[in-house]
Amino acid sequence: MNRVQIVEVGPRDGLQNEKKILSTEDKLNFIAELQEAGCTQIEVASFVNPKLVPTMADASEVVRGVLCPPAPSNCPPTPSNGGDDIDFWCLVPNERGYARAQEAGARFIAVFAAASESFSQKNIGRSIESSLEEYHKVVSQALSDGCRVRGYVSCVTHCHYEGKINPEAVLFVAEKLFEMGCEEVSLGETLGCATPDDISTLLNGLKSLPCEKLAGHFHDTSGRALQNVETALSFGLRTFDSSAAGLGGCPFAPGAAGNVATESLVRFLHERGFETGIDAEKIAFVGARIAGVLRGRAEV
């Protein structure tokens, strides 16, 4: 199988830690450009507490905007994916966040847990056990409402507070996410300091899980994200998260830089004979343009 699915996380994970808060219009333009470049899986918003993550304060407006682009007459949010076979994913931290997402019309839901107890407490103010109990309720309701659900596990190799993470801790959380109904689990290398050997150790520890239902989410803090992608490919993973222009980083993981850049990932995969459905030149333009917008330049 030469097809690799890329989940573009720029509008959410990419923008959440930026100092400049983009307008809803700028975000919608960004998302539209990603679609034009060929992205079909796009994470567009996070329904978290806006006081903690102010860059995501307009999550409802963004979701309504992608589901119902400006038209001659106003139309309400629809329970669709916005057309053109585009899946718009939204991150939710709890039942309250899910209710807001549902009200906005979201049909593709992501929940996020951590393999590190300390990170879980810092990130969402809950223990791992408590977060999984909350997500079980969220996922059950989302599936009942006809939504699709994706799961994240943060700190799969290292934690800023705890150091190296045992793969058994990752396996425990991933199994719980699958058991509650997540169709896919994304493995978040949150600090971006893992080596290919670290990724090999992790994936060897997860061999009981179906590789076709795992995704790699690698930050590029140490410049090894693409090496880690190559390692994950050798284990059979065929889905990866990335962000145009390499935007991103976690507000609760000090020192973490951005995600692997989508344009770099696309080029890397195409050179190795994989298909992504994304136009390499167009996604490079999108990355350059959004980087210019964030730096105060309308054009690049």
Side-chain angles (χ1 to χ4, degrees), residues 84-98:
D84 299 323
D85 296 320
I86 311 295
D87 297 342
F88 297 119
W89 294 91
C90 300
L91 206 66
V92 300
N94 48 39
E95 289 183 286
R96 181 182 302 176
Y98 175 69

Side-chain angles (χ1 to χ4, degrees), residues 224-279:
R224 289 191 290 262
L226 292 177
Q227 296 175 45
N228 292 336
V229 167
E230 190 155 40
T231 299
L233 286 168
S234 73
F235 277 83
L237 272 68
R238 292 296 183 267
T239 301
F240 296 93
D241 301 346
S242 62
S243 173
L247 302 175
C250 177
F252 305 99
N259 298 281
V260 61
T262 304
E263 53 269 36
S264 297
L265 179 59
V266 167
R267 184 171 60 251
F268 176 87
L269 291 169
H270 288 182
E271 288 173 350
R272 284 156 179 76
F274 293 99
E275 300 175 1
T276 65
I278 298 175
D279 187 294

Side-chain angles (χ1 to χ4, degrees), residues 281-294:
E281 291 187 4
K282 288 184 178 180
I283 195 65
F285 172 82
V286 175
R289 202 195 74 79
I290 193 63
V293 170
L294 287 166

Side-chain angles (χ1 to χ4, degrees), residues 160-212:
H160 178 77
Y161 310 101
E162 296 184 11
K164 279 204 169 185
I165 299 297
N166 192 315
E168 291 184 2
V170 182
L171 179 63
F172 171 80
V173 176
E175 285 180 333
K176 293 296 184 182
L177 291 172
F178 279 128
E179 287 171 5
M180 66 181 70
C182 291
E183 65 181 53
E184 180 177 81
V185 170
S186 179
L187 304 171
E189 202 280 276
T190 308
L191 295 190
C193 63
T195 66
D197 284 345
D198 292 325
I199 300 303
S200 292
T201 298
L202 168 68
L203 295 177
N204 274 319
L206 302 182
K207 281 189 173 181
S208 61
L209 301 178
C211 64
E212 68 274 11

Side-chain angles (χ1 to χ4, degrees), residues 2 5 8 30 40 53 63 69-70 76 85-86 106 121 137 163 175 205 228 239 245 248 259 277 286 291:
N2 285 329
Q5 179 67 63
E8 170 60 53
F30 181 26
T40 59
V53 189
V63 171
D85 296 320
I86 311 295
Q121 293 284 1
K137 293 182 285 187
E175 285 180 333
N228 292 336
T239 301
N259 298 281
V286 175

Side-chain angles (χ1 to χ4, degrees), residues 66-119:
V66 296
L67 295 181
C68 179
S73 59
N74 292 330
C75 61
T78 61
S80 72
N81 64 0
D84 299 323
D85 296 320
I86 311 295
D87 297 342
F88 297 119
W89 294 91
C90 300
L91 206 66
V92 300
N94 48 39
E95 289 183 286
R96 181 182 302 176
Y98 175 69
R100 290 173 55 209
Q102 184 71 0
E103 183 180 2
R107 307 299 293 175
F108 297 84
I109 302 300
V111 296
F112 55 101
S116 157
E117 189 66 43
S118 299
F119 186 83

